[in-house]
Amino acid sequence: MEQISAILNQYSFLEGKKYQCNPFGSGLIHGTYLIESPDSKFILQEFNNSVFKYPERIAHNHFIMGEKGDVSKLPFALPLPRLNNSGDSLTNFEGKLFRLFDFVKGVTLQEIQNSNQAHLASKAYGTFAFWGKEIQADEMQESIPKFHRLEWRFENLEKAASEAKSIEKEEKEILDFYLSQKTLVESYKEFLASCPQRITHNDTKINNLIFEESLEKVAAIIDLDTLMGGLLLYDFGDLVRTVACGEQETSLNWDNLAIRPAIFEKLLTGYWEGIKDMATIEEAKSLLIAGEVMTCIMGLRFFSDHLQGNIYYRVQYPEQNLHRAKNQMIFLKSQQEQRALLKNIWKNITGL
Ligand code: GN1
Ligand code: MG
């Protein structure tokens, strides 16, 4: 508690106030605490700099967002870290880094409960991308280098596979599937060359939104550490990957892992409403392979991590990253089998 006061003392607007502090939420990366006084609430985060090795780049990106973008024009909150008495968003205390955020009231969902929530979620992320169009993407720095570069993730798997001591039969089938995705990598590279870099969130899962308690409106977009320059397809694709699948990425329920076209339709409707006035033809087309690209990236990451001994993703049992890679493989196959159907939905929505 004394430590907490020492940290909070570095924010002049909190001076002389009495606060309670309790652990908060279910985030796995940063330590999160709710700071509460009778008349105000804040979120204090202990920053994890083993996952995010470049905290100053994130601070830079948040600074650019606050400086160049008018956050008040967004129909929801974008809680950027508050600045301490030295004007920094990161507060160093005994060698650890902390950040303070305004608390946003509401609820988070781990999964959608109805298709309207898919629409609300994707519209919020699309609206965010549109809002960010005034900010030059090249002013942003890469908080995690090459984060969503499919061709790089592909090369990483090739390398991890060549260095693996042995490859079991079950692993071989999954490895061969991912190595057969060269055509997808090539299409991605074409879009990388033809689409503009935008401000993207890069982690557009449903639980990175705070909904109002009624669940009828998005109150905030959170988890802004991977906010940087990127392609629109990254944000739309991660929505497809995580919201349009019948199961979560940890599921072993292989038979139920399939694209839900009705949810894909809601997601595309919402995202398109957000971005249609700025999207180039190439960007519109890129949304068609977005879900495939992001599912493939995550499968490649899980599988490479499995081969390298689970050094990045936390596992509950030794084979879990292999199973996550298998899960993503089945979901990717499902999207590829349904390409024609998804394209029809896309044509109806975009009118292209
Ligand atoms: C990580 O920790 P979380 O859930 O915010 C990862 C994402 C992956 C996700 C898969 C910085 O996100 O890219 O989509 O796991 N974030 C980072 O569950 O690697
Ligand atoms: Mg995250």
Side-chain angles (χ1 to χ4, degrees), residues 141-322:
Q141 298 176 354
E142 279 191 306
S143 51
I144 300 184
K146 303 195 180 98
F147 192 43
H148 285 156
R149 293 291 289 270
L150 178 61
E151 82 288 16
W152 185 70
R153 298 292 183 182
F154 188 90
E155 284 162 22
N156 278 353
L157 178 64
E158 287 180 315
K159 191 161 168 278
S162 72
E163 286 165 3
K165 283 195 211 86
S166 67
I167 304 267
E168 309 285 315
K169 189 166 168 283
E170 192 189 7
E171 293 172 323
K172 175 89 170 68
E173 186 199 327
I174 301 172
L175 177 64
D176 287 348
F177 170 78
Y178 283 112
L179 294 179
S180 76
Q181 293 301 311
K182 275 229 162 89
T183 326
L184 180 61
V185 177
E186 289 310 314
S187 324
Y188 160 75
K189 280 165 69 182
E190 282 171 25
F191 285 118
L192 183 64
S194 64
C195 293
Q197 291 279 317
R198 305 284 194 184
I199 304 297
T200 47
H201 178 280
N202 295 304
D203 195 9
T204 54
K205 292 175 300 193
I206 196 83
N207 64 4
N208 279 332
L209 296 174
I210 298 178
F211 283 86
E212 287 188 358
E213 264 148 32
S214 65
L215 292 171
E216 303 274 324
K217 192 174 176 290
V218 169
I221 296 187
I222 58 169
D223 195 355
L224 307 175
D225 296 325
T226 50
L227 212 155
M228 53 183 148
L231 303 183
L232 291 184
L233 78 87
Y234 302 155
D235 279 1
F236 180 65
D238 218 32
L239 277 162
V240 173
R241 183 182 79 83
T242 57
V243 182
C245 183
E247 296 281 321
Q248 299 204 6
E249 69 189 13
T250 45
S251 169
L252 308 181
N253 200 355
W254 314 125
D255 294 341
N256 201 32
L257 272 159
I259 179 91
R260 298 187 286 179
I263 302 295
F264 176 84
E265 185 171 4
K266 289 285 183 186
L267 288 175
L268 186 57
T269 304
Y271 198 70
W272 187 246
E273 280 166 5
I275 62 152
K276 64 176 186 302
D277 291 336
M278 73 169 183
T280 66
I281 301 274
E282 285 305 305
E283 281 180 308
K285 287 186 186 161
S286 76
L287 301 183
L288 265 176
I289 65 155
E292 290 186 31
V293 168
M294 293 308 291
T295 309
C296 189
I297 286 186
M298 240 40 87
L300 291 167
R301 290 176 67 189
F302 290 142
F303 198 67
S304 305
D305 197 30
H306 165 72
L307 294 177
Q308 289 164 339
N310 309 318
I311 48 182
Y312 191 95
Y313 288 109
R314 201 175 303 181
V315 286
Q316 277 140 356
Y317 58 93
E319 304 301 302
Q320 190 169 27
N321 275 323
L322 177 67

Side-chain angles (χ1 to χ4, degrees), residues 132-145:
K133 74 181 191 317
E134 307 303 335
I135 304 167
Q136 294 299 312
D138 60 10
E139 289 196 54
M140 305 286 276
Q141 298 176 354
E142 279 191 306
S143 51
I144 300 184

